[in-house]
Amino acid sequence: QVQLVESGGGLVNAGGSLRLSCAVSGAAADSYSIGWFHQAPGKEREGVSCISRDGIRALYARSVQGRFTITRNVDNNTVFLQMNNLKPEDTGIYYCAAERGDVYCRAQWINYWGQGTQVTVSS
């Protein structure tokens, strides 16, 4: 199995920054693309940013382009999401997710989910 443990969430003012971390473990961890998904209250879980197995290809939701950056340390399989210029609409639970093979960043194709970390952005 692939295990995903998120950290780094918290409360921040609008315009502030957070850095989320996802520790990925398991024998087959390097066979998975890794992504971050956001679920706002009352909304569907949506892909925010996902990164390929080799850490080269990254996908971003239009709503976060220019504000968020995903990186992957392929040596220890830790994935980071640098979140800058946060907005109140970014509030919600952020889940780290593992997608077998190539990166598509679609929730329906995710194989493993972390437990999530709460991000709250105040006005």
Side-chain angles (χ1 to χ4, degrees), residues 76-90:
N76 61 14
N77 225 344
T78 301
V79 178
F80 303 95
L81 185 67
Q82 180 66 46
M83 309 166 69
N84 296 329
N85 192 23
L86 283 160
K87 303 176 180 180
E89 48 264 47
D90 296 321

Side-chain angles (χ1 to χ4, degrees), residues 8 36-38 44 48 67 83 86 91 93 100-101 109 119:
W36 288 98
F37 289 73
H38 168 61
E44 292 185 353
V48 174
R67 299 191 297 123
M83 309 166 69
L86 283 160
T91 292
I93 302 173
R100 197 183 338 270
W109 297 338
V119 171

Side-chain angles (χ1 to χ4, degrees), residues 57-77:
R57 185 184 179 207
L59 302 176
Y60 295 93
R62 184 160 58 185
S63 61
V64 306
Q65 287 180 349
R67 299 191 297 123
F68 294 5
T69 303
I70 190 169
T71 56
R72 183 171 189 167
N73 185 326
V74 297
D75 293 324
N76 61 14
N77 225 344

